[in-house]
Amino acid sequence: MGILDKKLSLRNRSKMLVGVWEDEDKLVEATSALVHDGIHIHDIYTPYPVHGLERIIGARRSRLARVAFLCGLVGFTLMTTMIWYMYVLDWPVNVGNKPVRFTPSWIPVMFEGTVLCTAYGMGFIFFWRNRLLMGVKNDLLDERQTDDRMVIAIECVDGMNESDVLNTMKSNGAVELRELNHGVQTTI
Amino acid sequence: MGHGHHIEIKQETFVIPARAKQFSMIFMVVGLILAGIGIAKIDKSAAGHDEHAKVEAKAEGHESHEAAKGHEEHTAAAEHHTEEHANVMTEKFGPRMEYHTIEHPWQTKIWANLLVAGYFFLMISLASMFWITIQYAANAGWSAAIKRIPEAMSTFIPVGFIVLLISVFIAKNDIYHWAHYEHLGLKPGQEGYDKVLDGKSGFLNSTMFFVFPIVLVTIWMILGRRLRNLSVQEDNGTKGDITFHTKSIRTSAIFAVIFGFTISFMAWFFIMSVDAHWYSTIFGVYNFITHWVTAITIIALLVAYLKSLGYLSIVSNEHIHDLGKFMFAFTIFWAYIWLSQYLLIWYAQIPEEMYYYQIRFEQYKANFLTNLVMNFCLPFALLLMRSAKRNRYVLGIVGTIMILGHYHDVWFMVFPGVFGPGMQVGFLEVGVFMFFAGLFLIWTLTALTKRGLIPVNHPFIEESAHHDVGV
C-alpha cells in the first residue's frame, strides 16, 4: 500500500508489545502507569474517544482542522471559478435584469461548495490517515478494537525492560497481552 | 468519568468589586450626559422632515409618491421596473404610504432610542433565559457551572420591558405608521385608504399591540422565575436529590416550546411594524438570532470577567472555549439568516419587499456595510483560530465589537424606517446605549450576589467541573 504513510503501518515494525483492555478506567490507569515509568507509547486504539488519554500520552493536536480549512479553500475556489465560468464567461443570462458579474446569488453556490468539499475532504482524509478507507488493508491489532476493546501498542526499543512493561500492563487490568512481529501477533 | 484528578466543589459568594460599581456608575452618568448633549443638539425647530412629510396627500397615487421620494436615486433599469410594478401595485392595493408626518419629530427621536435600548436589553435577557432552558432540555452537563450568569442576566426582563412599553406608549403614533393610520379610521374608497394596512389591522392594532406582548412577557417571566426558584431550592436541598432537576427540565421544555413559537411576536410588533407595509417571513428568526448571539457573547464576557476576579474556581478555559465556539457558530448563523432575508428580496425584486433594503442600501450605505463587518466579517476572521477562542482578551475585544454591532443592527432596523433618510448614530444613541449598558451590568452583578455562584447540588456539576474539550 504505497499510498499510505509508512510510519503509520504496523506491519513493518520489528517488535511491538500489545495490550488489550475492556475497561476504560483501567486503560487510563495503565497508560498513566506506563507513562510514569518512562515508557514511550506508540499509540492507543479505542473505539470511542476516551477523555484525558491524549493529555496523558502528550499527543499533539490533530491537524484535521488545517485539513478542513484547506479543503474549504479548495471548495470555495472551485465553486467560484465554476460559477464565474458559467455565468460570466460562457453563457451570460439576463435574469430579471440582474447584473452579470459577482452578485449575491453566487453566495449560496460558493457556501454550499465550501461546506461540501470541507465535509467530504475531512471525512476521506481522516479515514485515509487511519487506514480505514475502503480498499486499504487495515492492520487492526484486535478484531474488536473498533467495537468494545481498547489497545495499547508499545514499540520495543533498546534498553527497555520488556517483562517490566508486560507486568505493568498485566497488573493494570490488561485482558490479553501479545507480541507483534512484522504483522504477526503471538499471544504471550 | 470515574478517573482524573479530584476537583473540590464549594460554594462561592460573589461580592461586587468597587471598581465594577464605579465603572457602571460612570457608564450611566456619562451616558446620561452624552444623551443630554444629543438632545440639545437635535434641531428642534423642524416641525417635520420635509422630504418625507407629505406623502399622505396622495390622491394622484404614484406621482406624489415618486415626488416624495425624488431624492432617492435609482439605476435607470431598476427605476423603470419598479415604476411599472408600482403602477400595478397601486391599482391593486392602493398607493403605498412609506413615511407619515411625525408630529413631534425631536421627541420621537428620544423615544425611538429608548425603544431600541429597551427592546435590545429585553431580548438579550430573554435569550439568556432561553439559553438555560435549552441546556436543561438537552441534558447538557458542561454548562452547569456557569448557569448562574444567564440566570442573573434574565432578571433584567422586567426593566427592559417597562422601558420598551413606556417608549411605545408615549410615542406610538409617531413611531409606527400603522398606529397613525389607525386613528384616521378610513373606509374603502375614501381618500388615503390603505389596503395593506387595513388588511393587517386585524393583527396590527393598538389592543393587540399592548395585550399580546404583556401576556407573553408575563408567561415568560413566570416560567423564568419558577426556574430560578427551583435552582435556589436545589442549592438548599441535599446532594443527589434530583427532584428539582426533573422539575427544571419540565419547566424548561414548556418555556422553550412557548418561547420558540412566540418570540417572533416581539419582533413583529415592536420592530417590524415600523415598516408596516413590508413583508418578510424570516424577520422573527433574524431578530431572535441577533439577540441570541449577543446574549451568548455577554455570558462569555461575564464568565471571563468573574474568572479574572478569582471566582468560578471550577470553570476552566474549556468552558470559555465552548462559549467562544458558540459565539463563532452563531455569528455564522446570523450571517446565514441575514443573507437568507436579503437574497430572496434581492432576487424577487418585488417593490413592497424591496423598499426596506432600498432606503437602507441607498441612503445608509455606511451603516449597511458596518453592520456586516461588525457582526460577521470581523468576528468570523478573529474567532476562527482555536487559540483565539481560548484567549480571554481576544474574546473581550471581539465580544465588545459584536455587542456594539448588534445594538447598531437593532438601531438600523428602526431608525431608517421611522425617520427616513438622514439619520446617523450620534451622541444620543451612544449615550442611551451607555446608560442602559451600565444599568444592565450593575443589575446583573447585583443579581449574582443574591445567591451562591455555583449550583453545588446540580446533578451535572461534577461533569461540568471535569469538562474537557481535548487537545
Side-chain angles (χ1 to χ4, degrees), chain B residues 240-409:
Chain B
D241 182 8
I242 61 159
T243 46
F244 299 117
H245 186 71
T246 323
K247 278 183 190 165
S248 293
I249 292 177
R250 220 168 285 154
T251 314
S252 296
I254 294 169
F255 182 93
V257 170
I258 294 177
F259 185 83
F261 277 109
T262 51
I263 187 63
S264 298
F265 283 92
M266 302 301 276
W268 292 335
F269 276 123
F270 293 116
I271 305 296
M272 197 176 166
S273 77
V274 164
D275 290 285
H277 287 90
W278 185 47
Y279 296 87
S280 167
T281 43
I282 208 169
F283 195 75
V285 182
Y286 177 70
N287 262 259
F288 166 68
I289 210 68
T290 293
H291 297 96
W292 173 246
V293 65
T294 317
I296 288 167
T297 306
I298 296 175
I299 295 170
L301 295 195
L302 281 175
V303 169
Y305 173 63
L306 290 182
K307 192 73 195 148
S308 73
L309 289 177
Y311 293 104
L312 295 174
S313 58
I314 60 170
V315 171
S316 60
N317 244 1
E318 312 293 316
H319 299 81
I320 292 180
H321 185 188
D322 268 0
L323 286 166
K325 284 181 199 161
F326 254 125
M327 281 163 67
F328 181 66
F330 284 107
T331 292
I332 299 171
F333 193 65
W334 177 89
Y336 185 85
I337 299 296
W338 184 92
L339 186 78
S340 300
Q341 181 174 281
Y342 176 70
L343 188 69
L344 294 188
I345 291 174
W346 177 84
Y347 228 129
Q349 215 170 8
I350 302 171
E352 69 264 33
E353 286 178 356
M354 220 165 59
Y355 79 92
Y356 178 85
Y357 280 112
Q358 195 180 5
I359 181 167
R360 280 164 179 80
F361 193 67
E362 309 229 325
Q363 308 291 330
Y364 289 90
K365 196 160 264 172
N367 295 72
F368 190 87
L369 296 175
T370 308
N371 194 13
L372 271 185
V373 169
M374 283 179 92
N375 295 336
F376 175 65
C377 304
L378 278 180
F380 180 83
L382 294 174
L383 288 178
L384 191 58
M385 297 287 286
R386 171 192 160 101
S387 49
K389 296 189 204 87
R390 295 176 77 90
N391 186 324
R392 278 180 222 157
Y393 299 102
V394 176
L395 279 191
I397 293 164
V398 181
T400 313
I401 294 173
M402 283 166 74
I403 293 168
L404 294 176
H406 286 288
Y407 187 80
H408 171 260
D409 191 12

Side-chain angles (χ1 to χ4, degrees), chain A residues 79 83 103-114, chain B residues 339 343 347:
Chain A
M79 287 297 158
I83 195 159
T103 66
S105 57
W106 290 24
I107 294 175
V109 180
M110 287 147 76
F111 174 75
E112 298 297 342
T114 311
Chain B
L339 186 78
L343 188 69
Y347 228 129

Side-chain angles (χ1 to χ4, degrees), chain A residues 56-144:
Chain A
I56 296 170
I57 62 170
R60 281 175 313 164
R61 195 189 157 202
S62 162
R63 281 173 294 181
L64 199 62
R66 286 180 212 179
V67 168
F69 183 75
L70 287 177
C71 291
L73 215 58
V74 168
F76 182 81
T77 320
L78 211 67
M79 287 297 158
T80 313
T81 320
M82 185 193 85
I83 195 159
W84 173 79
Y85 171 76
M86 288 174 173
Y87 199 63
V88 178
L89 196 70
D90 191 38
W91 201 278
V93 179
N94 185 339
V95 182
N97 225 350
K98 297 281 189 260
V100 180
R101 50 166 210 276
F102 171 78
T103 66
S105 57
W106 290 24
I107 294 175
V109 180
M110 287 147 76
F111 174 75
E112 298 297 342
T114 311
V115 173
L116 184 82
C117 286
T118 312
Y120 274 98
M122 263 172 94
F124 277 117
I125 287 170
F126 177 77
F127 283 121
W128 179 60
R129 283 292 286 186
N130 288 306
R131 304 182 68 86
L132 290 168
L133 203 62
M134 222 204 249
V136 178
K137 194 166 187 300
N138 59 44
D139 43 25
L140 298 176
L141 290 174
D142 190 291
E143 284 282 292
R144 282 161 62 188

Side-chain angles (χ1 to χ4, degrees), chain A residues 147-161:
Chain A
D147 182 15
D148 62 346
R149 281 184 155 192
M150 287 150 265
V151 181
I152 294 181
I154 297 165
E155 186 147 32
C156 293
V157 288
D158 290 342
M160 193 173 90
N161 192 334

